[in-house]
Amino acid sequence: MTLKTRNQFIKTFLFASLAIVALNLITFLFALKFGTILTPPDFRIPAFLSHIPFAKPSFIALMISFAVIILYVPFCFFLLIRYFENTQTSEIIFFTGFLFACLAETARFVTICLGLWQSFSNILIFMGNVVLFGRTLAPLSFLCAALLSETVQRQDIERNYIIMTTVSVVFAAVIPMNTARISSTGLVTEGFMSLINIMRFLLLATTVISFFIQGIKKNSSEHKILALSAFITLLGYSMLVSCDSFFFLISGTLALLAGSYRYLLCLHKMYMWS
């Protein structure tokens, strides 16, 4: 992928993300006018959160978390255009996959604003599939950045990106949705939830380990920083997408912003002279 093609790809994603921000704003205003916003049930995941004094559930915190995630995406795309326009790095392409995954959380936002979680419709199932797609793509994007960003693999980056996205789509399509169990964050719970959470943890662990191994092989401290930054970013992301309290809202926002900033800064320093 040439620099010109990559930059055009990122700019297209920037405009698409801004359009999604506008659509979500319109949906929210519509929901306010017609009173269709319905607070999700108090089913918290994991259940022990209900016993933590400083993690009391808050619908306001949940709604603010959507704003943080949705606005975070175009802001990051702007940074990619501003600071990586002339930087040849595959990691940036895979990072756009993570940003795309963040946008998938708008499906939960629409589910809450339009009160869809009270139904058992195909639309609700589709919204659950969209969220599952995003939550699969997010860790997979960093894993691909760790494993598939070598110079010899840059010719295959389009193929690898398509494979990464396709795997996420297929996984989201085959996992059944349990529309009878809606979490406090408006999430349509998945079947085999414990197995899926274990898989996400393994993806996260494999990503961090892969960056560390790259750092050891290349005697590069930057890759070790990437490992830590990727972990903090995904930790913040996980907190925000599971946010139903101000504790997770504040912690998740700080972790997501700090991790992303450190990750992108490290990539910029690694490749700015390349």
Side-chain angles (χ1 to χ4, degrees):
M1 180 180 288
T2 64
L3 274 176
K4 183 178 180 180
T5 303
R6 190 205 65 180
N7 291 337
Q8 188 60 47
F9 175 78
I10 295 175
K11 289 178 181 178
T12 301
F13 263 25
L14 171 61
F15 291 124
S17 65
L18 290 174
I20 291 175
V21 170
L23 287 173
N24 277 272
L25 179 59
I26 293 172
T27 301
F28 181 66
L29 294 176
F30 172 89
L32 282 180
K33 181 176 180 179
F34 293 98
T36 59
I37 299 177
L38 294 177
T39 304
D42 58 359
F43 175 59
R44 306 187 75 185
I45 302 175
F48 69 80
L49 292 176
S50 300
H51 303 290
I52 301 178
F54 53 82
K56 293 181 179 180
S58 169
F59 182 67
I60 295 177
L62 169 61
M63 297 303 285
I64 294 175
S65 71
F66 287 122
V68 172
I69 295 172
I70 294 171
L71 294 176
Y72 162 81
V73 176
F75 175 70
C76 283
F77 276 127
F78 172 78
L79 291 180
L80 297 185
I81 295 172
R82 176 67 177 81
Y83 294 103
F84 291 89
E85 186 175 9
N86 299 312
T87 306
Q88 186 69 42
T89 164
S90 301
E91 288 92 341
I92 291 302
I93 295 297
F94 291 117
F95 187 73
T96 65
F98 171 70
L99 297 179
F100 190 42
C102 291
L103 288 178
E105 295 300 319
T106 60
R108 282 192 302 122
F109 180 71
V110 173
T111 298
I112 293 173
C113 285
L114 302 184
L116 296 177
W117 62 265
Q118 283 195 326
S119 70
F120 297 93
S121 62
N122 290 330
I123 296 178
L124 181 60
I125 294 174
F126 174 73
M127 291 300 187
N129 289 333
V130 171
V131 174
L132 181 56
F133 159 76
R135 296 190 183 187
T136 304
L137 182 61
L140 202 56
S141 298
F142 280 100
L143 179 60
C144 289
L147 298 177
L148 303 175
S149 295
E150 296 291 335
T151 304
V152 295
Q153 295 169 324
R154 286 180 182 169
Q155 299 300 320
D156 299 321
I157 189 168
E158 295 97 334
R159 182 199 64 184
N160 294 335
Y161 197 92
I162 292 173
I163 291 174
M164 174 186 75
T165 306
T166 303
V167 168
S168 301
V169 170
V170 172
F171 184 78
V174 300
I175 296 297
M177 295 288 116
N178 185 0
T179 56
R181 294 180 69 191
I182 307 297
S183 76
S184 58
T185 61
L187 172 69
V188 183
T189 56
E190 313 100 346
F192 316 108
M193 180 174 286
S194 298
L195 184 62
I196 291 173
N197 287 333
I198 291 173
M199 183 205 72
R200 288 170 180 155
F201 174 78
L202 291 176
L203 282 176
L204 174 59
T206 304
T207 299
V208 174
I209 292 172
S210 298
F211 273 125
F212 267 112
I213 291 176
Q214 291 289 339
I216 294 173
K217 286 172 57 178
K218 298 179 179 181
N219 193 26
S220 168
S221 60
E222 285 85 0
H223 280 82
K224 298 175 183 178
I225 295 175
L226 289 178
L228 180 60
S229 301
F231 172 77
I232 295 174
T233 301
L234 286 173
L235 179 63
Y237 164 81
S238 299
M239 286 182 175
L240 279 178
V241 301
S242 304
C243 173
D244 63 353
S245 69
F246 280 101
F247 171 74
F248 279 104
L249 173 64
I250 296 171
S251 301
T253 301
L254 292 176
L256 180 66
L257 295 179
S260 302
Y261 170 78
R262 201 70 188 91
Y263 185 82
L264 295 177
L265 180 63
C266 186
L267 287 177
H268 188 262
K269 289 182 177 179
M270 285 174 61
Y271 292 101
M272 65 178 175
W273 301 116
S274 300

